[in-house]
Structures are given as C-alpha cells and as structure tokens.
Amino acid sequence: MTQPRFDAEFAQKFDTLLRWRRDVRHFAPDPLPERDMAELLEQAALSPSVGHSQPWRFVRLRSAALRDTLAHHVDAENLRAAQRYAGEARHDDYLALKLHGIREAPELLAVFCDEQASAGHGLGIATMPEMLRYSCVGAIQTLWLAARIRGIGLGWVSILDPHAVGVMLDVPDHWTLIAMLCIGYPQEASDTPELEQKGWQAREPLADRLFER
Amino acid sequence: MTQPRFDAEFAQKFDTLLRWRRDVRHFAPDPLPERDMAELLEQAALSPSVGHSQPWRFVRLRSAALRDTLAHHVDAENLRAAQRYAGEARHDDYLALKLHGIREAPELLAVFCDEQASAGHGLGIATMPEMLRYSCVGAIQTLWLAARIRGIGLGWVSILDPHAVGVMLDVPDHWTLIAMLCIGYPQEASDTPELEQKGWQAREPLADRLFER
C-alpha cells in the first residue's frame, strides 16, 4: 500500500478542526445516528496504546435510572467543589457556570482503563504503569476530533468520584474510570472555549510553556 | 465567524491519517524545519485542558550530553524491564525489539505537567487531580496527528523513571513527566503498528471492548 500524502488544504482544515473543537455542555436533544456512534468508537480505537495494549473499555449508559443517579452524584460533587472558592468573588462565577450536560446529552459514554489488560504483555509499563491510562486519554482526544468533524460535540465531566462511578456502573475493580463523556449535537459552535467566553480563564501565551535544556 | 463544515473528503482523509499514524522508533537523520516544530507545538496547545488550565510544559532537549545520559538511562531501564519475561519465549522477542530512537531522532521533546498550574483556578480537579495530566496527554495525541500530516514521525518512550528524568532535566519538583517524545522523519511508513508487524501484539476486536449499562 502506498503511503498517503496530506496536502496543504487538509492541513489547513485540520487546523480549523482543532480551533473549533469545544468542550460542550449545552446539547440539542436530537439523538445521534447509530452509525456515527459506531464510527466514533472505531476511530478512537485506532489510537496509539502502550505495547499495543488497547486498554480502553467503553461503556454506553442506556439506563435512565443510572443517568439520574449519575446526575445527582455530579451535582453533589460540584457543590462540594464550589467550596474551594468560598469567600472569593469567583464563588458566584463558579456556581454560574454550567459544567455538564449529563441530563440532556443524548449519549453518555464512560471510558475505563483495564489496568490488567493482557494485550501488550506489559510492554512499556514497567516504570510507567500510568501509560495504560494515558493510552485511553489519547483515544478520547481522537474521538473528540472525530466527533467534531461530524458536527457532534463532546463534554468531559470530571467533577465526580471515579471509584464511585465504577461501582455505580458495576465494572470490574481493576478498571479505572478515565472519563465520563456527554455526546450530542451542540446548541452552539464557537472557536473560543466557553470558560474563556465566560471570563473564567483566558488562553495564555504558549511561549511561557516552552523550555530548552 | 461562521462555523466550518467538514466534508466527506476531509472525514475520509482524517480516517486515513488515524490509520497511518505510527509510534516511530527508526528515524532518518534529517533535521526538522524550525517552523514545523513551532507549528506542532502551537497546534498541541489548541487541545482541551481541564478548567482551561493549559498545564503542559514542553522541554526541548538541545544538549548532546543530556541526550547521551538519557539514552543510557533508558537502555538500563529497558534491560531491567526485560527481566519480566525471563524464562519465557517472549524474552528474546522483547530484546529483539527496537523500542526507542533517542540516539538518532533529530528532536527530543519532554512533556511535563505542572501539577500546580495557576491557570484554570482548580476547576474540574477537586476529585480528579489526574485531569491535569490527562490534559497533557490529549495535547500529545494532537501533536502526534499534526506531525503525521507533515510526514513527521513521533515515538513515545515510557521505559524510564519519570522522576529521574525530571531531575536530569532540572525541572521544578511539581512538574510530572508525562512523555519523552522522539520526533523526526520516519525511515518507513506503514498502516500497521510495528509491534503487530513483529508479532508482539495484534489488533484485538473492538467489540470485546464495548459494554452497555
């Protein structure tokens, strides 16, 4: 098979994709085509994994009762997280943010890492066992971009107790929750992160993050 | 600004990109254009980060002495990791694998996570502080794809002691090493992972990794 070339037009469009990928918290109610969901998962699974271990485990939430339990759990954790800003002007700003779309998103997808994945035979994790988890994160970033190409938005919810969610979803003990993802069509598109629009945090200069040795 | 549309041709080419992205260990000696390195870092920094914290810190290794020290460290850790297969047929297979291009790659880039990033004001990390590290991993996956578009290969080396490498590079104590990346033009292109070509680990069915609740 001849290797592909990626031309300037594709490179430009890829840059546009990166600029218009958002963490989405406001979803339209429309369901996602089943074929799109299947393709997103297939593309995510093309991501690199340490030792080719493919440690990702994807759990689609179908139960309305589980969704409801999860939403209450996240709201409770969110109120607790807000206490970190108690007495600051930021406290009200924080409480005004909408940080998840768990109740509205047509799809909820939990991504777990199998810490005992047999595939890969332990290659590359002797000193950095976290590489299994990092492999799952790479797959999520792939899925995020693949979704945006289709006009589909994704929101990553991290204001939750990962162990509690594992118990809630009745997964094996050696699976670590990496992400709870809300997936659906976004109510709006933008090239500016919502946290930037709302004045929470601006983009900072990349130059401050570059070093040499 | 009108939101962009991504057509079927772009979607198809993006799928090809995912299929031809490899973890590269065999590099040509040619240096990378400085402009490409700058663009890769700029695109990586368009990745999502928890609370818009932008916790990635990129350290380019310029010192030949540091490269040499690092190469010896990784080789030593690799011999130690090989012991996990002692007495198995896999032992010889493991030792026959080339697992890094630290000596040859024109660019070495260490990616650290600033665990005390002030940006983001702690949003989203109350229960999952690892989200800062996961944000850095997402940026690496973006950089990986951006590199492949330009015909540039990337290899992620994880057979090392992350703390020791932090000390070696004299970074602050609250920076966690996420990845040591070898970057350069690959000697070969393929749509099959090297570990699969060498018979270490095949791609497994995605269906075995999909669950519902």
Side-chain angles (χ1 to χ4, degrees):
Chain A
M1 202 167 171
T2 320
Q3 77 155 302
R5 303 276 164 196
F6 300 96
D7 60 16
E9 187 190 339
F10 179 80
Q12 181 57 50
K13 200 99 186 179
F14 180 76
D15 189 80
T16 303
L17 173 64
L18 298 180
R19 291 178 192 281
W20 285 79
R21 179 217 47 77
R22 291 280 70 76
D23 188 290
V24 173
R25 297 99 189 259
H26 305 266
F27 293 94
D30 315 65
L32 295 187
E34 201 52 40
R35 202 181 74 175
D36 279 343
M37 277 302 286
E39 287 178 2
L40 293 183
L41 292 164
E42 276 162 30
Q43 293 196 311
L46 295 172
S47 300
S49 61
V50 64
H52 206 16
S53 55
Q54 308 156 66
W56 37 72
R57 306 291 180 262
F58 299 102
V59 180
R60 269 175 91 175
L61 268 73
R62 303 291 215 166
S63 148
L66 268 179
R67 180 191 288 257
D68 193 54
T69 305
L70 180 68
H72 280 95
H73 171 74
V74 172
D75 284 342
E77 289 294 346
N78 194 35
L79 281 176
R80 184 144 50 169
Q83 292 171 6
R84 116 174 6 214
Y85 311 105
E88 297 177 33
R90 277 194 183 273
H91 192 230
D92 288 347
D93 297 345
Y94 183 86
L95 291 173
L97 294 170
K98 178 169 166 60
L99 293 175
H100 73 83
I102 291 177
R103 287 188 175 79
E104 313 88 61
E107 295 283 344
L108 297 179
L109 182 71
V111 184
F112 289 89
C113 173
D114 183 347
E115 306 278 358
Q116 296 176 11
S118 58
H121 311 283
L123 188 149
I125 59 172
T127 54
M128 291 186 68
E130 62 268 39
M131 284 300 295
L132 289 169
R133 299 189 281 280
Y134 293 175
S135 301
C136 298
V137 175
I140 293 165
Q141 174 64 358
T142 303
L143 195 154
W144 212 326
L145 295 174
R148 184 61 186 86
I149 289 173
R150 293 165 174 78
I152 296 169
L154 183 155
W156 183 328
V157 183
S158 62
I159 306 172
L160 46 76
D161 174 342
H163 180 72
V165 173
V167 170
M168 207 180 286
L169 300 188
D170 192 25
V171 301
D173 284 343
H174 55 277
W175 287 17
T176 302
L177 182 76
I178 306 299
M180 178 62 68
L181 305 177
C182 300
I183 307 179
Y185 295 105
Q187 286 187 6
E188 286 182 9
S190 174
D191 61 353
T192 307
E194 186 164 329
L195 290 178
E196 200 167 330
Q197 295 176 41
K198 305 276 187 192
W200 182 267
Q201 175 63 56
R203 190 170 292 285
E204 295 199 333
L206 175 60
D208 296 347
R209 288 155 166 75
L210 302 181
F211 305 84
E212 297 194 349
R213 288 293 186 271
Chain B
M1 200 166 171
T2 320
Q3 77 153 303
R5 303 276 164 196
F6 300 97
D7 60 15
E9 188 190 340
F10 179 81
Q12 181 55 52
K13 199 98 185 180
F14 179 76
D15 188 80
T16 303
L17 173 65
L18 297 180
R19 290 177 192 282
W20 284 80
R21 179 218 46 77
R22 290 280 71 75
D23 188 290
V24 173
R25 299 100 190 258
H26 304 267
F27 293 94
D30 316 64
L32 295 187
E34 200 52 41
R35 203 181 73 176
D36 279 342
M37 277 302 286
E39 287 177 3
L40 293 184
L41 292 164
E42 277 162 30
Q43 292 196 312
L46 295 172
S47 300
S49 60
V50 63
H52 206 16
S53 55
Q54 307 155 68
W56 36 72
R57 306 292 180 258
F58 299 104
V59 181
R60 268 174 92 174
L61 268 74
R62 302 292 215 165
S63 150
L66 268 179
R67 179 192 288 257
D68 193 53
T69 305
L70 180 69
H72 281 94
H73 171 74
V74 172
D75 285 342
E77 290 293 348
N78 194 34
L79 281 176
R80 186 147 45 172
Q83 291 170 6
R84 125 180 347 221
Y85 310 105
E88 296 177 32
R90 277 196 182 273
H91 192 232
D92 288 348
D93 297 345
Y94 183 86
L95 291 173
L97 294 170
K98 178 170 165 60
L99 293 176
H100 73 82
I102 291 177
R103 287 187 175 80
E104 313 87 61
E107 296 283 343
L108 296 179
L109 182 72
V111 183
F112 289 89
C113 173
D114 183 347
E115 306 277 359
Q116 297 176 10
S118 58
H121 311 282
L123 188 147
I125 59 173
T127 54
M128 289 185 68
E130 62 268 38
M131 285 301 295
L132 289 169
R133 299 190 281 281
Y134 292 175
S135 301
C136 298
V137 175
I140 292 166
Q141 173 64 359
T142 303
L143 194 154
W144 212 327
L145 295 174
R148 184 61 188 85
I149 289 173
R150 292 165 174 80
I152 296 169
L154 182 155
W156 182 329
V157 183
S158 62
I159 307 171
L160 46 75
D161 175 342
H163 180 73
V165 173
V167 170
M168 207 181 285
L169 300 188
D170 193 24
V171 301
D173 284 343
H174 56 277
W175 288 17
T176 301
L177 182 75
I178 305 299
M180 177 63 69
L181 306 177
C182 299
I183 307 179
Y185 296 105
Q187 286 187 5
E188 287 182 8
S190 175
D191 61 354
T192 307
E194 187 164 329
L195 290 178
E196 200 167 328
Q197 295 176 41
K198 306 275 187 191
W200 182 267
Q201 175 64 55
R203 189 170 294 286
E204 295 198 333
L206 176 59
D208 296 347
R209 289 155 165 76
L210 303 181
F211 304 84
E212 298 194 350
R213 288 291 186 271

